[in-house]
Amino acid sequence: MTGVFVSFEGVDGVGKTTQVERLRAYLEAQGREVVVTREPGGTPLGQAIRRMLLHGVEGSDVDGSADIAARAEALLFAADRAQHVAEVIRPALERGAVVITDRYLDSSLAYQAGGRELTAAEIRSLSMWATNDLLPARTYLLDMDPELSHSRLQHEADRMESAGDGFQSRTRQAFLDLATAEPDRFRVIDASESIGEVWNAIREDIDEVLAAAGPTGGAR
């Protein structure tokens, strides 16, 4: 593959969408093909899975936050990721595009292993099998206190967002632990800074990532 794969991670409300769009515009201005996608929900199959993961199962008699068993949840995320890689990510990378995804494997590890106390090794193994070992060249972790980030949300909390302060704090720490374990892939950015300051940190780093990758087939 000749393209470049980039992911954005962090708890909800840290500003991933804003920075993804800035990065898209920046790279397209350079003449590169850019594919922006997300998890869960980056494919038609993923959209159906996303509805279950974020809003619970229709017709369930139990609380929406508890109607999907932890292991079933892990399998649903892995199924979404397998389809996402096969249908969207790998074909774009093979064309030489820059692929930017809002969430990927690390969200499963942080939210499921860190937040829901499942075994990280099992979740990672499942997702690596589902994606045939595909990892991003760079992962931007936008880090912020969950209490502050959630105050930014402008929509009704979904199933993950409403899981409680303890869950969100564990998830944040799980993201930071992942970044510590893989310092070559991760860049941790203070998302409490201004939008412009966060973007400047990303821009400076992505220039280095692209220079190291060399020219890609995605340059039009």
Side-chain angles (χ1 to χ4, degrees), residues 28-48:
E28 287 182 340
Q30 298 177 14
R32 296 178 180 270
E33 180 189 359
V34 181
V35 174
V36 172
T37 186
R38 69 176 183 177
E39 289 193 0
T43 65
L45 174 61
Q47 290 169 15

Side-chain angles (χ1 to χ4, degrees), residues 71-95:
R71 289 180 182 273
E73 181 182 76
L75 289 166
L76 286 169
F77 274 112
D80 169 73
R81 186 162 298 121
Q83 188 69 20
H84 191 208
V85 167
E87 186 175 333
V88 178
I89 297 174
R90 282 194 185 276
L93 292 175
E94 288 167 358
R95 296 196 306 270

Side-chain angles (χ1 to χ4, degrees), residues 8-200:
F8 280 76
E9 298 286 4
V11 297
D12 294 294
V14 294
K16 296 189 310 305
T17 301
T18 297
Q19 298 301 332
V20 164
E21 288 305 314
R22 284 203 169 199
L23 182 55
R24 180 217 290 265
Y26 179 70
L27 296 177
E28 287 182 340
Q30 298 177 14
R32 296 178 180 270
E33 180 189 359
V34 181
V35 174
V36 172
T37 186
R38 69 176 183 177
E39 289 193 0
T43 65
L45 174 61
Q47 290 169 15
I49 294 173
R50 180 184 179 87
R51 285 192 292 272
M52 287 189 290
L53 288 169
L54 298 188
H55 304 294
V57 178
E58 184 177 354
S60 173
D61 292 332
V62 297
D63 184 277
S65 65
D67 59 6
I68 301 177
R71 289 180 182 273
E73 181 182 76
L75 289 166
L76 286 169
F77 274 112
D80 169 73
R81 186 162 298 121
Q83 188 69 20
H84 191 208
V85 167
E87 186 175 333
V88 178
I89 297 174
R90 282 194 185 276
L93 292 175
E94 288 167 358
R95 296 196 306 270
V98 178
V99 177
I100 306 169
T101 185
D102 182 344
R103 300 202 181 283
Y104 191 62
L105 164 66
D106 301 296
S107 277
S108 283
L109 291 170
Y111 277 92
Q112 294 169 263
R116 298 200 184 283
E117 301 173 1
L118 296 179
T119 304
E122 290 180 338
I123 293 170
R124 184 181 181 88
S125 177
L126 180 62
S127 279
M128 293 300 282
W129 176 82
T131 65
N132 197 21
D133 298 329
L134 180 64
L135 286 174
R138 173 68 77 239
T139 296
Y140 294 111
L141 173 55
L142 305 189
D143 179 55
M144 184 187 296
D145 184 324
E147 288 190 15
L148 178 59
S149 68
H150 278 215
S151 71
R152 295 179 171 186
L153 294 175
Q154 298 180 350
H155 58 264
E156 183 177 348
D158 62 34
R159 185 171 161 272
M160 294 293 187
E161 293 163 355
S162 61
D165 292 343
F167 173 83
Q168 300 297 341
S169 294
R170 291 195 305 273
T171 300
R172 180 198 186 188
Q173 186 58 54
F175 273 127
L176 292 171
D177 291 344
L178 290 168
T180 299
E182 293 189 65
D184 290 340
R185 175 163 67 90
F186 275 86
R187 292 295 180 270
V188 181
I189 299 172
D190 184 355
S192 67
E193 300 286 351
S194 70
I195 291 174
E197 288 170 318
V198 172
W199 164 241
N200 285 338

